[in-house]
Amino acid sequence: MQTTLSHEFSPRSLWQRWRWLIWLVVIIAIYSWAIGGLQFTGLQASAKEVSKSIANGLVHPDWAYVYNGSGEDLSTLTLQTLAIAFLGTIVSAFISVPFAFWAARTVHERWHLRSGSGKVMLTLIRTFPEIVLAIMFIKAVGPGSYAGVLAISIHSIGMLGKLFSESLENMDRGAEEAITSAGGNHAQVFALATVPTIMPEFISYTLYRFEIAVRSASILGMVGAGGIGTPMIFAIQTRNWPRVGIILLGIVVMVLLIDTLSEQLRKKLI
Amino acid sequence: MSYPEMPQRPWSQRHHVRAIVWTLVLIILLALSSWATGADFGMFLANLDQFTVLLVQMAHPAWDYLSVIIQPLYETIQMAILGTTIGAAFAIPFSILAAHNLVSNKYLRGLIRFVLDLVRTLPDLLLAAIFVAVFGIGSTAGVVTLAIFSFGMVSKLFYEVIETIDMGPLEAMKSVGASKITIIWYAVLPQVLNQFVSYFLYTLEINVRASTVLGYLGAGGIGVYLQRSLDQFNYSATAMIILATLVVVMVIDGVSNHLRRVLL
């Protein structure tokens, strides 16, 4: 009996054989566009000098700035930064909950008016960079940490609302069905099934968002919205590198501490 | 036959001690931080009319401003592409040194990871402010900022990928006496390349977003115009910049999402 191979190796098509070349051309084109388009100022004549004094300032930080009792020192302003991040995150966490229910797609349709409009709303909020929000709020309430709080709480609604609504979409509906089948009404389903199921995830996302907010709060001061960013930008502008060094150190320690703490708490939650 | 005893809730659980303590802690922290930040909701409401004027202006974007900002928008994308590439290139050796299945020296690994953690704590705008002081106002400062920012992020993503690879090919090559470099080139890289490219694109998306505000501190790109329009109280131009940025971010996200789906 003669067996014939039912299918021969089909020769690779022209596209498959030369695909890599096309990719290569595309990538080279993108990079030449990117490199050619930028005007590199090159190193300034003073760059070496400046780098040297920065390095010098970073290894000899201005320790006296850590606490001097003036209320404008590192420890006071670090605490203020944390307060801005904390208040902003908590406020936005509460406001995000209704937004999340608005935007969650719980009905299996491709386009749903309620959730669709909610998602557009959240995207619209997220579009505004935090810095722009901060400047807008400075116009409304004057420079200071309150503007920072408002900027962070509004910006976080966009992020938290999205995360919350996604966790509502993916949540386990078993508990809700159990309460419904036992004769519970809507309010009971919500209080006894929805809230306990979703709470750990909401809190975990809020903690995660707090980590990000601490970083944001430490730079919002650069535009005048309170916190450690204000002395930082002053120190950079006046070339006070030892001061920059100690503030950088303060920010790094603060962020590392908050990240570790929040990670531990989140591990406990889930 | 003895029945098992009914489970009893301890005193602290019966009286919801934990919940009460957490709520109290939360309230105290909230009170402390609203005191520290001088948050005053009434003040916001009192100045609401001013804020509404601003929002109304923003609702009417200056469409003709688009011709002014198209060039800086390109510059923003160019900065993001170069910054991400440089950062990712530096991230590859560091991520290999930080992966526990490739480097057995605990102290070297710990040191590298600690450095990466430190780099990741620095916010992008802070780096931009410092590099503007070093390199002067312009896109060079932006590219360096984005390179360092993405270096921190990409190396963590990369070493986590490396730690999930199949060790079989590595052992096979080691048993025939291949050198470390050969093993990394022929057994590690082919396994991780697709994911590396995918994470690279993801970082590029984040960097495009980040690069739009870097210019605010003088680091080139569209942010320069953002600052100009805000300083001149020209909010309809600000709105146009935000809209144009949104479109760019959405296009980059779309392209990158498509490519990542093809890759994985």
Side-chain angles (χ1 to χ4, degrees):
Chain A
M1 205 172 87
Q2 191 189 1
T3 52
T4 52
L5 267 136
S6 57
H7 58 86
E8 293 171 23
F9 282 115
S10 58
R12 294 197 297 169
S13 69
L14 208 64
W15 161 245
Q16 280 171 329
R17 250 185 302 167
W18 294 104
R19 197 166 48 178
W20 66 271
L21 190 67
I22 294 171
W23 277 115
L24 191 70
V25 170
V26 169
I27 290 171
I28 289 176
I30 289 177
Y31 277 105
S32 41
W33 174 71
I35 296 170
L38 290 179
Q39 286 166 349
F40 289 102
T41 42
L43 286 174
Q44 287 194 321
S46 60
K48 202 176 160 195
E49 206 67 23
V50 175
S51 316
K52 215 184 267 173
S53 43
I54 290 179
N56 194 33
L58 290 181
V59 282
H60 300 289
D62 179 5
W63 291 111
Y65 184 61
V66 172
Y67 185 78
N68 58 20
S70 67
E72 296 286 316
D73 49 41
L74 184 68
S75 29
T76 319
L77 286 174
T78 310
L79 285 177
Q80 196 189 48
T81 306
L82 283 178
I84 294 172
F86 183 76
L87 197 60
T89 311
I90 298 291
V91 168
S92 90
F94 278 105
I95 306 178
S96 297
V97 172
F99 274 94
F101 279 96
W102 180 11
R105 193 158 58 112
T106 41
V107 191
H108 287 281
E109 284 171 45
R110 223 185 136 65
W111 172 248
H112 188 251
L113 182 65
R114 172 183 53 75
S115 92
S117 59
K119 281 190 201 304
V120 169
M121 186 71 205
L122 289 176
T123 313
L124 207 68
I125 295 175
R126 270 204 309 280
T127 310
F128 284 82
E130 242 156 5
I131 286 234
V132 175
L133 280 176
I135 292 164
M136 287 166 64
F137 283 119
I138 285 174
K139 298 278 188 289
V141 298
S145 16
Y146 185 31
V149 172
L150 288 172
I152 285 182
S153 32
I154 298 297
H155 187 77
S156 307
I157 291 174
M159 287 283 302
L160 275 182
K162 181 181 174 340
L163 291 171
F164 284 4
S165 71
E166 276 167 5
S167 58
L168 277 174
E169 283 167 11
N170 301 327
M171 75 180 267
D172 181 10
R173 307 233 154 248
E176 289 184 347
E177 278 165 26
I179 301 285
T180 313
S181 63
N185 59 25
H186 273 296
Q188 284 166 330
V189 168
F190 184 75
L192 296 170
T194 315
V195 172
T197 314
I198 211 71
M199 216 45 187
E201 224 169 320
F202 274 19
I203 296 176
S204 162
Y205 278 137
T206 308
L207 279 170
Y208 168 68
R209 185 63 216 176
F210 177 59
E211 292 174 32
I212 300 177
V214 170
R215 287 172 168 81
S216 308
S218 60
I219 51 179
L220 282 184
M222 290 184 168
V223 297
I228 194 72
T230 314
M232 179 79 185
I233 196 80
F234 281 146
I236 291 177
Q237 277 166 355
T238 54
R239 305 282 191 259
N240 186 352
W241 298 113
R243 178 66 60 88
V244 173
I246 191 73
I247 296 177
L248 265 183
L249 201 66
I251 293 179
V252 166
V253 169
M254 170 181 74
V255 171
L256 278 181
L257 271 178
I258 293 293
D259 279 12
T260 323
L261 197 74
S262 149
E263 214 168 292
Q264 294 300 323
L265 278 174
R266 280 193 288 150
K267 250 185 223 154
K268 264 188 171 175
L269 273 168
I270 303 184
Chain B
M1 188 177 159
S2 68
Y3 291 101
E5 226 175 291
M6 278 296 281
Q8 291 281 321
R9 288 197 299 177
W11 183 87
S12 67
Q13 266 186 27
R14 234 179 316 157
H15 297 273
H16 307 289
V17 170
R18 261 166 74 111
I20 290 171
V21 167
W22 275 112
T23 316
L24 275 179
V25 167
L26 199 68
I27 289 174
I28 290 170
L29 283 177
L30 272 178
L32 277 178
S33 46
S34 26
W35 170 75
T37 56
D40 176 7
F41 197 67
M43 186 158 73
F44 180 60
L45 288 183
N47 292 314
L48 200 61
D49 49 333
Q50 233 175 322
F51 195 66
T52 328
V53 171
L54 199 154
L55 281 181
V56 168
Q57 273 193 36
M58 282 199 149
H60 300 88
W63 299 106
D64 50 335
Y65 199 56
L66 188 63
S67 56
V68 181
I69 57 174
I70 199 89
Q71 189 55 41
L73 269 176
Y74 287 148
E75 194 185 308
T76 300
I77 303 172
Q78 290 163 338
M79 271 163 51
I81 291 176
L82 283 187
T84 317
T85 310
I86 297 170
F90 278 103
I92 291 176
F94 276 87
S95 58
I96 288 172
L97 288 176
H100 74 74
N101 50 358
L102 296 185
V103 174
S104 45
N105 186 337
K106 205 165 63 182
Y107 301 103
L108 174 65
R109 218 169 59 216
L111 181 73
I112 299 256
R113 284 193 184 200
F114 182 65
V115 171
L116 294 178
D117 280 345
L118 283 186
V119 173
R120 268 203 312 281
T121 56
L122 296 172
D124 46 359
L125 274 173
L126 204 74
L127 290 172
I130 293 175
F131 285 119
V132 166
V134 179
F135 294 104
I137 289 173
S139 41
T140 315
V143 171
V144 176
T145 303
L146 289 175
I148 292 186
F149 184 63
S150 39
F151 166 73
M153 190 162 72
V154 169
S155 11
K156 185 176 162 93
L157 292 169
F158 277 11
Y159 78 66
E160 280 170 358
V161 170
I162 294 177
E163 289 182 348
T164 62
I165 62 171
D166 175 16
M167 294 302 280
L170 277 82
E171 277 158 29
M173 289 191 70
K174 205 184 280 174
S175 65
V176 294
S179 72
K180 275 254 173 202
I181 302 291
T182 324
I183 290 177
I184 287 169
W185 188 253
Y186 287 101
V188 179
L189 276 186
Q191 289 193 60
V192 294
L193 202 58
N194 276 2
Q195 290 217 304
F196 272 19
V197 176
S198 166
Y199 278 136
F200 171 78
L201 290 169
Y202 168 71
T203 314
L204 181 68
E205 286 174 38
I206 293 178
N207 275 350
V208 169
R209 256 171 251 257
S211 63
T212 56
V213 289
L214 288 185
Y216 196 90
L217 295 169
I222 188 75
V224 178
Y225 290 79
L226 194 65
Q227 190 227 9
R228 204 171 291 170
S229 70
L230 282 166
D231 276 1
Q232 295 166 349
F233 308 108
N234 189 356
Y235 296 113
S236 43
T238 311
M240 188 61 232
I241 293 173
I242 292 176
L243 262 183
T245 317
L246 176 70
V247 172
V248 168
V249 166
M250 273 164 65
V251 169
I252 298 277
D253 279 14
V255 172
S256 141
N257 271 330
H258 175 75
L259 282 177
R260 276 159 61 193
R261 226 170 307 144
V262 171
L263 276 168
L264 292 179

Short mmCIF file of all heavy atoms in Angstrom, two decimals, chain A residues 226-250:
data_model
loop_
_atom_site.label_atom_id
_atom_site.label_comp_id
_atom_site.label_asym_id
_atom_site.label_seq_id
_atom_site.Cartn_x
_atom_site.Cartn_y
_atom_site.Cartn_z
N GLY A 226 0.57 73.31 47.60
CA GLY A 226 0.88 72.83 48.94
C GLY A 226 1.78 71.61 48.97
O GLY A 226 2.05 70.99 47.96
N GLY A 227 2.27 71.31 50.16
CA GLY A 227 3.11 70.13 50.33
C GLY A 227 4.57 70.41 50.09
O GLY A 227 5.01 71.55 49.95
N ILE A 228 5.34 69.33 49.97
CA ILE A 228 6.79 69.40 49.92
C ILE A 228 7.30 69.94 48.57
O ILE A 228 8.46 70.36 48.46
CB ILE A 228 7.37 68.00 50.23
CG1 ILE A 228 8.86 68.06 50.53
CG2 ILE A 228 7.11 67.03 49.10
CD1 ILE A 228 9.15 68.67 51.84
N GLY A 229 6.44 69.93 47.54
CA GLY A 229 6.88 70.36 46.22
C GLY A 229 7.28 71.82 46.15
O GLY A 229 8.16 72.19 45.37
N THR A 230 6.65 72.66 46.96
CA THR A 230 6.94 74.10 46.89
C THR A 230 8.38 74.42 47.29
O THR A 230 9.10 75.05 46.51
CB THR A 230 5.93 74.87 47.77
OG1 THR A 230 4.64 74.36 47.50
CG2 THR A 230 5.98 76.34 47.50
N PRO A 231 8.86 73.98 48.49
CA PRO A 231 10.27 74.25 48.80
C PRO A 231 11.21 73.56 47.84
O PRO A 231 12.31 74.06 47.58
CB PRO A 231 10.43 73.70 50.23
CG PRO A 231 9.29 72.81 50.43
CD PRO A 231 8.17 73.33 49.61
N MET A 232 10.77 72.43 47.27
CA MET A 232 11.61 71.70 46.32
C MET A 232 11.89 72.57 45.09
O MET A 232 13.05 72.72 44.69
CB MET A 232 10.87 70.43 45.90
CG MET A 232 11.60 69.59 44.92
SD MET A 232 12.87 68.65 45.76
CE MET A 232 13.65 67.87 44.37
N ILE A 233 10.83 73.13 44.51
CA ILE A 233 11.04 73.91 43.28
C ILE A 233 11.80 75.19 43.59
O ILE A 233 12.66 75.63 42.80
CB ILE A 233 9.69 74.18 42.55
CG1 ILE A 233 9.91 74.62 41.11
CG2 ILE A 233 8.85 75.21 43.25
CD1 ILE A 233 10.19 73.50 40.17
N PHE A 234 11.58 75.78 44.77
CA PHE A 234 12.36 76.96 45.17
C PHE A 234 13.83 76.61 45.28
O PHE A 234 14.70 77.34 44.81
CB PHE A 234 11.86 77.53 46.50
CG PHE A 234 10.61 78.35 46.35
CD1 PHE A 234 9.65 78.36 47.34
CD2 PHE A 234 10.41 79.13 45.22
CE1 PHE A 234 8.50 79.11 47.20
CE2 PHE A 234 9.26 79.89 45.08
CZ PHE A 234 8.30 79.87 46.08
N ALA A 235 14.10 75.46 45.93
CA ALA A 235 15.49 75.06 46.14
C ALA A 235 16.17 74.80 44.80
O ALA A 235 17.34 75.15 44.61
CB ALA A 235 15.55 73.83 47.02
N ILE A 236 15.43 74.20 43.83
CA ILE A 236 16.03 73.94 42.52
C ILE A 236 16.31 75.26 41.80
O ILE A 236 17.36 75.46 41.22
CB ILE A 236 15.12 73.02 41.67
CG1 ILE A 236 15.07 71.63 42.27
CG2 ILE A 236 15.61 72.96 40.24
CD1 ILE A 236 14.13 70.69 41.55
N GLN A 237 15.34 76.19 41.90
CA GLN A 237 15.52 77.45 41.18
C GLN A 237 16.64 78.29 41.77
O GLN A 237 17.31 79.02 41.04
CB GLN A 237 14.20 78.24 41.19
CG GLN A 237 13.27 77.77 40.10
CD GLN A 237 11.86 78.26 40.28
OE1 GLN A 237 11.53 78.90 41.28
NE2 GLN A 237 11.00 77.93 39.33
N THR A 238 16.84 78.21 43.08
CA THR A 238 17.92 78.99 43.69
C THR A 238 19.22 78.20 43.76
O THR A 238 20.16 78.63 44.40
CB THR A 238 17.53 79.46 45.09
OG1 THR A 238 17.16 78.29 45.85
CG2 THR A 238 16.37 80.41 45.07
N ARG A 239 19.23 76.99 43.12
CA ARG A 239 20.43 76.16 43.09
C ARG A 239 20.93 75.79 44.49
O ARG A 239 22.12 75.73 44.73
CB ARG A 239 21.57 76.86 42.31
CG ARG A 239 21.19 77.28 40.90
CD ARG A 239 21.23 76.08 39.98
NE ARG A 239 21.14 76.44 38.57
CZ ARG A 239 20.02 76.36 37.84
NH1 ARG A 239 18.88 75.98 38.40
NH2 ARG A 239 20.03 76.64 36.57
N ASN A 240 19.99 75.61 45.39
CA ASN A 240 20.36 75.25 46.76
C ASN A 240 20.39 73.72 46.85
O ASN A 240 19.46 73.08 47.34
CB ASN A 240 19.32 75.84 47.72
CG ASN A 240 19.70 75.64 49.17
OD1 ASN A 240 20.66 74.93 49.47
ND2 ASN A 240 18.95 76.26 50.06
N TRP A 241 21.47 73.10 46.32
CA TRP A 241 21.47 71.64 46.14
C TRP A 241 21.46 70.84 47.43
O TRP A 241 20.83 69.78 47.47
CB TRP A 241 22.62 71.22 45.23
CG TRP A 241 22.49 71.83 43.87
CD1 TRP A 241 23.29 72.75 43.31
CD2 TRP A 241 21.42 71.61 42.92
NE1 TRP A 241 22.81 73.13 42.08
CE2 TRP A 241 21.68 72.44 41.82
CE3 TRP A 241 20.29 70.81 42.91
CZ2 TRP A 241 20.85 72.48 40.70
CZ3 TRP A 241 19.45 70.84 41.80
CH2 TRP A 241 19.74 71.67 40.72
N PRO A 242 22.12 71.29 48.51
CA PRO A 242 21.99 70.53 49.76
C PRO A 242 20.52 70.44 50.22
O PRO A 242 20.08 69.41 50.70
CB PRO A 242 22.83 71.34 50.76
CG PRO A 242 23.79 72.08 49.92
CD PRO A 242 23.09 72.38 48.65
N ARG A 243 19.78 71.54 50.00
CA ARG A 243 18.36 71.55 50.34
C ARG A 243 17.60 70.56 49.45
O ARG A 243 16.77 69.77 49.92
CB ARG A 243 17.83 72.98 50.17
CG ARG A 243 16.38 73.22 50.43
CD ARG A 243 15.99 73.01 51.86
NE ARG A 243 16.68 73.88 52.80
CZ ARG A 243 16.27 75.09 53.17
NH1 ARG A 243 15.19 75.60 52.66
NH2 ARG A 243 16.95 75.78 54.04
N VAL A 244 17.90 70.57 48.14
CA VAL A 244 17.27 69.63 47.21
C VAL A 244 17.57 68.20 47.67
O VAL A 244 16.68 67.34 47.67
CB VAL A 244 17.78 69.84 45.76
CG1 VAL A 244 17.25 68.76 44.84
CG2 VAL A 244 17.40 71.20 45.26
N GLY A 245 18.83 67.96 48.08
CA GLY A 245 19.22 66.62 48.51
C GLY A 245 18.38 66.14 49.67
O GLY A 245 17.85 65.02 49.65
N ILE A 246 18.20 66.99 50.68
CA ILE A 246 17.47 66.52 51.87
C ILE A 246 15.99 66.33 51.54
O ILE A 246 15.34 65.39 52.02
CB ILE A 246 17.68 67.48 53.07
CG1 ILE A 246 17.13 66.86 54.36
CG2 ILE A 246 17.01 68.81 52.87
CD1 ILE A 246 17.95 65.77 54.87
N ILE A 247 15.43 67.18 50.65
CA ILE A 247 14.02 67.01 50.29
C ILE A 247 13.83 65.73 49.49
O ILE A 247 12.88 64.97 49.73
CB ILE A 247 13.50 68.23 49.50
CG1 ILE A 247 13.54 69.48 50.39
CG2 ILE A 247 12.08 68.00 49.04
CD1 ILE A 247 13.12 70.75 49.69
N LEU A 248 14.75 65.47 48.55
CA LEU A 248 14.67 64.22 47.78
C LEU A 248 14.71 63.03 48.71
O LEU A 248 13.91 62.09 48.59
CB LEU A 248 15.86 64.13 46.82
CG LEU A 248 15.65 64.59 45.40
CD1 LEU A 248 16.90 64.35 44.59
CD2 LEU A 248 14.49 63.84 44.77
N LEU A 249 15.63 63.07 49.67
CA LEU A 249 15.76 61.99 50.64
C LEU A 249 14.44 61.81 51.40
O LEU A 249 13.96 60.69 51.59
CB LEU A 249 16.89 62.34 51.60
CG LEU A 249 17.52 61.19 52.37
CD1 LEU A 249 18.24 60.28 51.40
CD2 LEU A 249 18.49 61.72 53.41
N GLY A 250 13.86 62.95 51.81
CA GLY A 250 12.59 62.90 52.53
C GLY A 250 11.50 62.24 51.71
O GLY A 250 10.75 61.39 52.20
#
